[in-house]
Amino acid sequence: MRVAHFTGLRKLEISDEPEPKLDRPDGVLLRIDRVGVCGSDVHYYVGGRIGDQQLAYPATLGHECSGTVMEVGPAVTGLKPEMRVAVDPAIVCGQCDQCRAGRPNTCRNLQFMGCPGEAPGAVAEYRVLPAENCFPIPDSVSLEQAVLVEPLSVGLHAVRVGQIRPPARIAVLGAGPIGLSILLCAKVDAACTVYLTDLLDERLEVARQCGADWMGSAKAEGVTAAVAECEPQGLDLVFECSGDPACIDQAQQLLAPGGTLVLVGIPREPRVSFDLHVMRRAELTFRNVRRQTGCVAPIVRLIAEGRINTAPLLTHRFPLDRISEAFELVDGYREGVIKAVVDLSGAK
Amino acid sequence: MRVAHFTGLRKLEISDEPEPKLDRPDGVLLRIDRVGVCGSDVHYYVGGRIGDQQLAYPATLGHECSGTVMEVGPAVTGLKPEMRVAVDPAIVCGQCDQCRAGRPNTCRNLQFMGCPGEAPGAVAEYRVLPAENCFPIPDSVSLEQAVLVEPLSVGLHAVRVGQIRPPARIAVLGAGPIGLSILLCAKVDAACTVYLTDLLDERLEVARQCGADWMGSAKAEGVTAAVAECEPQGLDLVFECSGDPACIDQAQQLLAPGGTLVLVGIPREPRVSFDLHVMRRAELTFRNVRRQTGCVAPIVRLIAEGRINTAPLLTHRFPLDRISEAFELVDGYREGVIKAVVDLSGAK
Amino acid sequence: MRVAHFTGLRKLEISDEPEPKLDRPDGVLLRIDRVGVCGSDVHYYVGGRIGDQQLAYPATLGHECSGTVMEVGPAVTGLKPEMRVAVDPAIVCGQCDQCRAGRPNTCRNLQFMGCPGEAPGAVAEYRVLPAENCFPIPDSVSLEQAVLVEPLSVGLHAVRVGQIRPPARIAVLGAGPIGLSILLCAKVDAACTVYLTDLLDERLEVARQCGADWMGSAKAEGVTAAVAECEPQGLDLVFECSGDPACIDQAQQLLAPGGTLVLVGIPREPRVSFDLHVMRRAELTFRNVRRQTGCVAPIVRLIAEGRINTAPLLTHRFPLDRISEAFELVDGYREGVIKAVVDLSGAK
Amino acid sequence: MRVAHFTGLRKLEISDEPEPKLDRPDGVLLRIDRVGVCGSDVHYYVGGRIGDQQLAYPATLGHECSGTVMEVGPAVTGLKPEMRVAVDPAIVCGQCDQCRAGRPNTCRNLQFMGCPGEAPGAVAEYRVLPAENCFPIPDSVSLEQAVLVEPLSVGLHAVRVGQIRPPARIAVLGAGPIGLSILLCAKVDAACTVYLTDLLDERLEVARQCGADWMGSAKAEGVTAAVAECEPQGLDLVFECSGDPACIDQAQQLLAPGGTLVLVGIPREPRVSFDLHVMRRAELTFRNVRRQTGCVAPIVRLIAEGRINTAPLLTHRFPLDRISEAFELVDGYREGVIKAVVDLSGAK
């Protein structure tokens, strides 16, 4: 089968490998049909590492994927060959303290697809996964939409962590795939007014299509003041998705007393500073989110019911042999790219 | 009546004033019997300000108090002359968005006793307060214990915000009156193991009397490592009560994935920094607390039932005319002081 | 001023009374502009009692009202003459255990407008109310819409109690004003599919206008089976708003394991029976709701923003001197009545 | 190996069977050391059925058990031969909607040890179980104590469902093993005052040893009135553990507004009736509990730390060949039995 590998900085190569065998009774052999390019994939592509997670070349990659069941192990119920599935890329142990406490997203033995030293990446024609990681999709959901299930489930998890009560006042700072996922999920979670900022004007337009009520350029002087003028009592909830430390300060200024800041963006420098007097007087809450838990099935259902409009996010498609182009496009924020999807179905 | 005023840095004077008249139908005229000296009172005493809240001399002071009802307005139910009461020093409007959302502790029009520009301070023989700020205490609770109701209610509020699930692993960093209140309230909130650190050895001993399971000197190298050795999976909850930025970093290191850091201490410098990668990977939550809401009645009940042992906290007593000594003692952390109480009952 | 009184079974009389004086510093003198006819008003009209709450004739009546501020007491902030307001008809003491626990809707000393032995009813040209019961409405909300604030806030409270997580599966059994309010509020609370049943075909049509996804006649054999066929895994949440014991059994059958039944309807006979084996095996939760708390301000905002469409509910209008017609209409479920509103503005 | 079977009403026989083989990579071969006799086992023994779950003879039995790991499958981490374990008897699929929603206790494909048509019962020398059902116990916990982990975890689950806030007022109606487990777990969950009633005087004495603050005979006239006299504002929480419909009515009378009734006891007749007017006016919540989820690990820790005193519950021991005596004893409530434990360690 055809498999993609990182082989150096900004280097991606496709090579042949033997197909994996279904080797666990609770497992599924999947044909991978589509893989989405995530910002974290591009981080590895460009820099070879994220924080202290360092690639060893060659390395497989990718975790946003959809596929078709080829074979199921004897202990599997609910899945059959030919079923089309969305994939949860986090393979968890089910036995550690975190899993047993209902927090598998911080499983002590977590194997994430395409993370260095963890599980094989998704950009391969076939992969074996535990059945519990595969979520059947109905006919009304395409394999391409199913690629969005992972980032959207991260968005829904962030929204659940934030706990929206209608009619909420919300800001989303940063309109990349995760910021937009949060916007879409916030809108299905409760009646809310969403203020959104981004540096790229074309992303503001996508945000409008995704339902944002107010868009402002993060480059503009006074964008925070403009929001505050609309909402003099302050916002209930801010999702910081840009990773820009300046936005974290803006977020605190925007919040009403008792408000919540959900930190989603990943800053370049690990240390960020906060004004503790502001936080304390307003009794703010800061929440961090680590991927997701329990949100894949709801997202499949929300897409199937047409409650989440995935169209504005699916901007580009590439066959497997042009995967490098997809990475360069996403890295350069070019052509209004939100999500580039790699199509493995014609791989040979 | 006799009233204390700040008249300059480290200057406190007692003078005579006319007694207040009961001027509101929902109000109560109280004889103030005891007032506790809070760290924030000492901040004003020593520095004339807290953050941007600046004293204008002369200024009344004090907010931890107990008293006896002298007279009640016509709209008051549930209170009668001669009743002894604990006092909630936060007078709220009941009409703003925060009050209406069940968050009176961030009331937009809050008048706090003894805060510059807000309500008159408690160190006076008589004060008029809304009936809803007065909580009757049973015979089993002394007027001196009632002075602790305010700081203990702040402790219970912090504990409720932190949400302990038995058998929890907790750290309290800093064993001043609030840290010890949190310790006492954590122990009634759920079966938990509490690790406690402080710079002062005598406070570690008080913490032991208040039920701490493990005490360590915050001066010692490796105090964090020592806790981590006892709890290799990490802690569920850390209450940072020292205001020391180094402790905030320790707190993050101590927490298990999914853990919560409750920020209670007030650092000298408003800005503090956090390691966002640690926060994000472990999906930590940071909660701030602003005084308390809804915790006064439960604390009165917990003291009355003997579930909270107030004895270790009540270390010093002074008559009104020696109030300056009380302030100097607390400022100097001398003689093992935890809470110094000013007794107005013999004032003349 | 003109005031309506119940003077016997099915007897309503209008008479003249002196206008009330503003007699409390935290009070407001309101001109009452519109009053809605509630099912509970009709219960008193027809039967003279609800449960053990018995009318003593003559008795004032009404609690769903809107008005205009004429005069404010000296302690009032945030309200000024000429402001138009929606009214929360529950006057609470703020001092009992329930109020202090954040549950004013079960205040031990609650005075509800128009309840026998409690506060004067709303059908009068002027009333004095605490300022905290008056919620200003913006220009975009009419006085007539403001009459719906009370029943809609009951609906929002029920929805909050039920805790909807998208994409939820919900049933509302009974499409009277409260059932429809729940439907409208559920739709703003989260993306959800709502199944609705009622005995009256014209109410199913109103439900459709209010956003119901599926409507079925409660008279039909097999209506429960029809819902179950659409939702083989069961529903997350059922709101029983009919008061019919048969519907309570249906509700249990419809729920998925872990589901919640919110009991809103008032049955004729106080005792109802449940199948405890079904409840236990499926670990169901039953919640009761008592009017509302904290939902008036959000409802005003939701109406003002156009997120709740009140038009389908406002079916009939009567001047004060034809108030009996309004009651007869609502009692007979005639002419497709949902909410009949009495207009006092031309009273003389 | 030796295995017990129900072979008819009140008939238990021990016979020989081949030992099971470890046949799943995520499985564990356990030597079963101790099995507790549960009330539900006795229901099957005496009546051959519980509700619509009917025994087909011969049938294995038992689910409260502890054991020693003999062999582990290749996919197992965290367990090794010779480890002593407490057992969660609920084998879940991990793939259905309930499991994926974090509710494995209502798993659609649940196989419970010793339930007719589900998984083999625990009274056998060896059993194969999924590793995730086995929880290692430290040296400080005996195999006999480990038998109590299952009923205690049911108690902790009920307590979590009830959500105790200190200082809570609680009643536990019925002091069998589950009622006592709830009492023990309530006491570690938060500072609370527990009122307890039972028909058997000797159980009231055990309740005292387990920490009950007030005990009353359920046979006495006026037991409810006696509790109400102590708690005129009503209770926050009642756990109905007797299955007696009269107790359900008592429970409603005892609750304060906003209170919660947790239904734990299993009545003979499936239908029970409630007074909906009382429920509604007081805005009560009724919660059902289905076994437990996520409480096994916390219970192991609480026993190991000595926070739960298991001694009063462990009243009787029998070797395997005298298992019928154990069942007769529990059925007759004789000799003050709370929990009878069958010891398989000397089986031959």
Side-chain angles (χ1 to χ4, degrees):
Chain A
M1 67 171 179
R2 307 282 280 165
V3 180
H5 289 93
F6 289 129
T7 55
L9 291 186
R10 291 190 180 274
K11 284 170 90 170
L12 264 170
E13 289 178 30
I14 315 288
S15 55
D16 281 305
E17 276 189 16
E19 292 177 16
K21 298 270 173 267
L22 179 54
D23 54 357
R24 45 190 296 175
D26 65 342
V28 170
L29 176 66
L30 276 192
R31 186 186 69 219
I32 305 293
D33 294 311
R34 300 284 192 291
V35 183
V37 177
C38 172
S40 64
D41 298 320
V42 174
H43 267 74
Y44 284 121
Y45 175 72
V46 171
R49 61 184 299 157
I50 294 180
D52 51 10
Q53 291 193 286
Q54 171 97 40
L55 288 184
Y57 298 113
T60 59
L61 61 135
H63 59 275
E64 301 177 354
C65 63
S66 60
T68 304
V69 176
M70 306 305 287
E71 193 184 339
V72 301
V76 173
T77 59
L79 290 174
K80 284 184 297 193
E82 297 189 35
M83 277 185 168
R84 298 149 67 250
V85 298
V87 171
D88 175 355
I91 302 166
V92 300
C93 77
Q95 297 177 32
C96 71
D97 65 314
Q98 295 292 306
C99 285
R100 291 196 153 163
R103 301 187 39 79
N105 53 327
T106 48
C107 169
R108 305 278 185 176
N109 309 302
L110 196 143
Q111 304 281 308
F112 200 80
M113 292 181 80
C115 261
E118 303 187 8
V123 190
E125 283 183 85
Y126 297 94
R127 287 295 183 210
V128 169
L129 284 166
E132 66 180 14
N133 288 64
C134 300
F135 292 74
I137 56 174
D139 292 347
S140 59
V141 177
S142 71
L143 286 164
E144 194 170 86
Q145 286 178 302
V147 157
L148 292 176
V149 165
E150 200 270 342
L152 282 165
S153 68
V154 171
L156 182 58
H157 178 65
V159 163
R160 287 187 171 179
V161 160
Q163 294 177 26
I164 307 179
R165 297 193 107 189
R169 296 298 181 266
I170 292 174
V172 177
L173 310 182
I178 294 296
L180 293 168
S181 292
I182 287 172
L183 164 59
L184 288 163
C185 292
K187 285 286 176 181
V188 298
D189 194 54
C192 56
T193 302
V194 182
Y195 295 81
L196 186 140
T197 65
D198 197 277
L199 289 167
L200 303 176
D201 289 342
E202 68 258 34
R203 291 201 161 175
L204 299 181
E205 169 55 22
V206 180
R208 196 190 56 72
Q209 293 166 31
C210 291
D213 298 277
W214 186 103
M215 287 84 57
S217 171
K219 286 177 299 194
E221 283 283 314
V223 67
T224 307
V227 174
E229 195 172 345
C230 298
E231 298 296 341
Q233 292 189 331
L235 303 177
D236 303 300
L237 195 51
V238 178
F239 296 92
E240 204 304 296
C241 307
S242 74
D244 180 347
C247 284
I248 296 177
D249 270 348
Q250 285 175 6
Q252 291 177 77
Q253 302 298 333
L254 288 170
L255 284 166
T260 296
L261 170 56
V262 183
L263 291 157
V264 183
I266 304 179
R268 264 163 217 267
E269 296 303 318
R271 291 200 80 85
V272 292
S273 80
F274 300 87
D275 186 321
L276 203 56
H277 280 355
V278 171
M279 288 166 69
R280 183 172 53 83
R281 289 229 175 109
E283 203 173 50
L284 301 182
T285 295
F286 283 20
R287 303 291 309 260
N288 290 273
V289 290
R290 179 60 165 165
R291 294 169 182 149
Q292 66 84 32
T293 181
C295 293
V296 173
I299 285 294
V300 169
R301 204 161 172 174
L302 288 163
I303 297 175
E305 293 176 7
R307 295 183 192 276
I308 286 181
N309 174 18
T310 57
L313 274 57
L314 291 166
T315 54
H316 291 76
R317 288 133 193 106
F318 294 88
L320 176 58
D321 56 12
R322 290 174 53 205
I323 186 171
S324 295
E325 289 175 55
F327 273 69
E328 288 294 328
L329 182 80
V330 173
D331 179 48
Y333 299 99
R334 282 187 290 108
E335 297 177 30
V337 66
I338 303 290
K339 182 61 64 187
V341 176
V342 177
D343 184 347
L344 283 82
S345 60
K348 57 193 163 286
Chain B
M1 66 171 180
R2 308 283 280 165
V3 179
H5 290 93
F6 290 129
T7 55
L9 292 186
R10 293 190 180 272
K11 284 169 90 171
L12 263 170
E13 289 179 29
I14 314 290
S15 54
D16 281 304
E17 275 190 17
E19 291 176 18
K21 298 271 173 266
L22 180 54
D23 54 357
R24 44 190 298 175
D26 65 343
V28 170
L29 176 66
L30 275 192
R31 187 186 69 218
I32 305 293
D33 293 312
R34 301 283 192 292
V35 184
V37 178
C38 172
S40 64
D41 297 320
V42 174
H43 267 73
Y44 284 121
Y45 176 72
V46 171
R49 62 185 299 158
I50 294 179
D52 51 10
Q53 292 193 287
Q54 170 98 39
L55 289 184
Y57 297 113
T60 58
L61 60 136
H63 59 274
E64 299 176 356
C65 63
S66 60
T68 304
V69 176
M70 305 306 287
E71 195 185 337
V72 301
V76 174
T77 59
L79 289 174
K80 284 183 299 193
E82 299 189 32
M83 278 183 167
R84 298 149 67 249
V85 298
V87 171
D88 176 355
I91 302 166
V92 301
C93 77
Q95 297 177 34
C96 71
D97 64 313
Q98 294 292 307
C99 285
R100 291 194 154 164
R103 301 188 38 80
N105 54 327
T106 49
C107 169
R108 305 277 185 176
N109 308 302
L110 196 143
Q111 305 280 308
F112 200 79
M113 291 181 81
C115 261
E118 302 188 8
V123 191
E125 284 181 84
Y126 297 94
R127 287 295 183 211
V128 170
L129 284 166
E132 66 180 15
N133 288 64
C134 301
F135 292 75
I137 56 175
D139 293 347
S140 59
V141 178
S142 71
L143 287 163
E144 196 171 85
Q145 287 178 301
V147 158
L148 293 176
V149 165
E150 200 270 344
L152 282 165
S153 67
V154 172
L156 181 59
H157 178 64
V159 162
R160 287 187 172 180
V161 160
Q163 294 177 26
I164 307 179
R165 297 192 108 189
R169 297 299 180 261
I170 293 174
V172 177
L173 310 182
I178 294 298
L180 293 168
S181 292
I182 287 172
L183 164 59
L184 288 163
C185 292
K187 285 286 175 180
V188 298
D189 194 56
C192 56
T193 302
V194 181
Y195 295 80
L196 186 140
T197 64
D198 197 278
L199 288 167
L200 303 176
D201 290 341
E202 67 260 34
R203 290 201 162 175
L204 299 182
E205 169 55 23
V206 180
R208 196 190 53 74
Q209 294 165 30
C210 291
D213 298 278
W214 186 103
M215 287 84 54
S217 171
K219 287 177 298 192
E221 285 283 314
V223 66
T224 308
V227 175
E229 195 173 344
C230 299
E231 298 296 340
Q233 292 188 331
L235 303 177
D236 304 300
L237 195 52
V238 178
F239 295 92
E240 204 304 295
C241 306
S242 74
D244 180 348
C247 284
I248 295 176
D249 271 347
Q250 285 175 5
Q252 291 176 78
Q253 301 299 334
L254 287 170
L255 285 166
T260 296
L261 171 55
V262 183
L263 292 158
V264 184
I266 304 178
R268 264 162 217 268
E269 295 304 317
R271 291 199 81 85
V272 291
S273 79
F274 300 88
D275 186 322
L276 204 56
H277 280 355
V278 171
M279 287 166 70
R280 184 173 52 84
R281 290 228 174 110
E283 203 174 49
L284 302 182
T285 295
F286 283 20
R287 303 291 309 261
N288 290 273
V289 290
R290 179 58 165 166
R291 295 169 183 151
Q292 65 84 32
T293 182
C295 293
V296 174
I299 285 293
V300 169
R301 205 161 171 173
L302 287 164
I303 297 174
E305 292 176 6
R307 295 183 192 278
I308 286 181
N309 174 19
T310 56
L313 275 58
L314 291 166
T315 54
H316 292 76
R317 287 132 194 110
F318 293 87
L320 176 58
D321 55 12
R322 292 173 52 204
I323 186 171
S324 296
E325 289 175 55
F327 273 70
E328 288 294 329
L329 183 80
V330 174
D331 179 47
Y333 299 98
R334 283 188 289 108
E335 297 176 29
V337 65
I338 302 293
K339 182 59 66 185
V341 177
V342 177
D343 183 347
L344 284 81
S345 61
K348 55 195 164 286
Chain C
M1 66 170 180
R2 307 284 279 165
V3 180
H5 289 92
F6 290 128
T7 54
L9 291 186
R10 291 190 181 274
K11 283 169 88 171
L12 264 170
E13 290 178 30
I14 314 290
S15 55
D16 280 305
E17 275 189 16
E19 291 177 16
K21 297 270 173 269
L22 179 55
D23 54 357
R24 44 190 298 177
D26 65 342
V28 170
L29 176 67
L30 276 193
R31 187 186 69 218
I32 305 293
D33 293 312
R34 300 285 192 290
V35 184
V37 178
C38 172
S40 64
D41 297 321
V42 174
H43 267 74
Y44 284 120
Y45 175 72
V46 171
R49 61 184 301 157
I50 295 180
D52 52 8
Q53 292 193 287
Q54 171 98 39
L55 289 185
Y57 298 113
T60 60
L61 60 135
H63 61 273
E64 300 176 354
C65 62
S66 60
T68 304
V69 176
M70 306 306 287
E71 194 185 338
V72 301
V76 173
T77 58
L79 290 173
K80 283 183 298 192
E82 298 189 32
M83 277 184 168
R84 297 149 68 249
V85 298
V87 170
D88 175 354
I91 302 166
V92 300
C93 76
Q95 297 176 34
C96 71
D97 63 314
Q98 295 291 307
C99 285
R100 291 195 154 163
R103 303 187 38 80
N105 53 328
T106 48
C107 170
R108 305 277 186 176
N109 308 302
L110 196 142
Q111 305 280 308
F112 200 80
M113 291 180 81
C115 262
E118 303 188 6
V123 190
E125 284 182 85
Y126 298 95
R127 287 295 184 210
V128 170
L129 284 167
E132 66 181 14
N133 288 65
C134 300
F135 291 75
I137 55 174
D139 292 348
S140 59
V141 177
S142 71
L143 287 163
E144 195 170 85
Q145 287 178 301
V147 157
L148 293 176
V149 165
E150 200 270 341
L152 282 165
S153 68
V154 172
L156 182 58
H157 179 64
V159 162
R160 286 187 172 180
V161 161
Q163 294 178 28
I164 307 179
R165 298 193 107 188
R169 296 300 181 262
I170 293 174
V172 176
L173 309 183
I178 294 297
L180 293 168
S181 292
I182 288 173
L183 164 59
L184 288 163
C185 292
K187 285 287 177 179
V188 297
D189 194 56
C192 56
T193 302
V194 182
Y195 295 82
L196 186 140
T197 64
D198 197 278
L199 289 168
L200 303 176
D201 289 342
E202 67 258 33
R203 290 201 162 175
L204 298 182
E205 170 54 22
V206 180
R208 196 190 56 71
Q209 293 166 32
C210 291
D213 299 276
W214 186 103
M215 286 85 54
S217 171
K219 286 177 297 193
E221 283 284 314
V223 66
T224 308
V227 175
E229 195 173 345
C230 298
E231 298 296 341
Q233 291 189 332
L235 303 177
D236 303 300
L237 195 51
V238 178
F239 296 92
E240 203 304 296
C241 306
S242 74
D244 180 348
C247 284
I248 296 177
D249 270 347
Q250 286 176 4
Q252 291 176 77
Q253 302 299 334
L254 288 170
L255 284 166
T260 295
L261 170 56
V262 183
L263 292 157
V264 184
I266 304 179
R268 264 163 217 265
E269 295 303 318
R271 291 200 80 85
V272 292
S273 79
F274 300 87
D275 186 322
L276 203 56
H277 280 354
V278 170
M279 288 165 70
R280 183 173 53 84
R281 289 228 175 110
E283 202 174 52
L284 301 182
T285 295
F286 282 22
R287 303 292 309 260
N288 290 274
V289 290
R290 178 59 165 165
R291 295 169 182 150
Q292 65 85 32
T293 182
C295 292
V296 173
I299 284 293
V300 169
R301 204 160 172 174
L302 288 163
I303 297 174
E305 292 176 6
R307 295 183 191 276
I308 287 181
N309 175 19
T310 56
L313 274 57
L314 292 165
T315 54
H316 292 76
R317 289 134 193 106
F318 294 88
L320 176 58
D321 55 11
R322 290 174 53 205
I323 186 171
S324 295
E325 290 176 53
F327 273 70
E328 290 294 328
L329 183 80
V330 174
D331 179 47
Y333 299 100
R334 282 187 290 109
E335 297 177 30
V337 65
I338 303 292
K339 182 60 66 186
V341 176
V342 177
D343 183 347
L344 284 80
S345 61
K348 54 193 166 288
Chain D
M1 65 170 180
R2 307 282 280 165
V3 179
H5 290 92
F6 290 128
T7 55
L9 291 185
R10 292 190 180 273
K11 283 170 89 171
L12 264 171
E13 289 178 31
I14 315 289
S15 54
D16 280 304
E17 276 189 16
E19 291 177 17
K21 298 270 173 265
L22 181 54
D23 54 358
R24 45 190 297 175
D26 64 344
V28 170
L29 176 66
L30 276 193
R31 186 186 71 219
I32 305 293
D33 293 311
R34 301 283 191 293
V35 183
V37 178
C38 172
S40 64
D41 298 321
V42 174
H43 267 73
Y44 284 121
Y45 175 72
V46 171
R49 62 186 299 159
I50 294 180
D52 51 8
Q53 291 193 288
Q54 171 98 39
L55 289 185
Y57 299 112
T60 59
L61 61 136
H63 59 274
E64 300 177 356
C65 62
S66 60
T68 304
V69 175
M70 306 306 286
E71 195 184 338
V72 302
V76 173
T77 59
L79 290 174
K80 284 183 299 193
E82 298 190 32
M83 277 183 168
R84 299 149 66 250
V85 297
V87 170
D88 175 356
I91 302 166
V92 301
C93 77
Q95 297 177 34
C96 71
D97 64 314
Q98 295 292 307
C99 285
R100 290 194 156 167
R103 301 186 39 81
N105 54 328
T106 48
C107 169
R108 305 277 186 176
N109 309 303
L110 197 143
Q111 305 280 308
F112 199 79
M113 291 181 81
C115 261
E118 303 189 7
V123 191
E125 284 182 84
Y126 297 94
R127 288 295 183 210
V128 169
L129 285 166
E132 66 180 14
N133 288 64
C134 301
F135 292 74
I137 55 175
D139 292 347
S140 59
V141 178
S142 71
L143 287 163
E144 195 170 85
Q145 287 178 300
V147 157
L148 292 176
V149 165
E150 200 271 343
L152 282 165
S153 68
V154 172
L156 182 59
H157 178 64
V159 162
R160 287 187 172 180
V161 160
Q163 294 176 26
I164 306 179
R165 296 192 108 189
R169 296 299 179 264
I170 293 173
V172 177
L173 309 181
I178 294 298
L180 294 168
S181 292
I182 287 172
L183 164 60
L184 288 163
C185 291
K187 285 285 175 180
V188 298
D189 194 55
C192 56
T193 302
V194 182
Y195 296 81
L196 185 139
T197 64
D198 198 278
L199 289 167
L200 302 176
D201 289 341
E202 68 258 33
R203 290 202 162 175
L204 299 182
E205 170 55 23
V206 181
R208 196 190 55 73
Q209 293 166 30
C210 291
D213 297 278
W214 186 103
M215 287 84 55
S217 171
K219 286 177 298 193
E221 285 283 315
V223 66
T224 308
V227 175
E229 195 173 345
C230 298
E231 298 295 340
Q233 292 188 331
L235 303 178
D236 303 300
L237 195 51
V238 178
F239 295 92
E240 205 302 295
C241 306
S242 74
D244 180 348
C247 284
I248 296 176
D249 270 347
Q250 285 175 5
Q252 290 176 78
Q253 301 299 334
L254 288 170
L255 285 166
T260 296
L261 170 56
V262 183
L263 292 157
V264 184
I266 304 178
R268 263 163 217 266
E269 295 304 318
R271 291 199 80 85
V272 291
S273 80
F274 300 88
D275 185 322
L276 203 56
H277 280 356
V278 170
M279 288 165 70
R280 183 174 52 84
R281 289 226 175 111
E283 203 173 51
L284 302 182
T285 295
F286 282 20
R287 303 292 308 262
N288 291 274
V289 290
R290 179 60 166 165
R291 294 168 183 152
Q292 65 83 32
T293 182
C295 293
V296 173
I299 285 293
V300 169
R301 203 161 173 174
L302 288 163
I303 297 174
E305 293 176 6
R307 294 183 192 277
I308 286 181
N309 174 18
T310 56
L313 275 57
L314 291 165
T315 54
H316 292 77
R317 289 130 193 110
F318 293 87
L320 176 58
D321 55 12
R322 291 174 52 204
I323 187 171
S324 296
E325 290 174 54
F327 273 69
E328 289 293 330
L329 183 80
V330 173
D331 180 46
Y333 299 100
R334 282 188 289 108
E335 297 176 30
V337 65
I338 302 292
K339 182 59 65 186
V341 177
V342 177
D343 183 347
L344 284 81
S345 60
K348 56 193 163 290

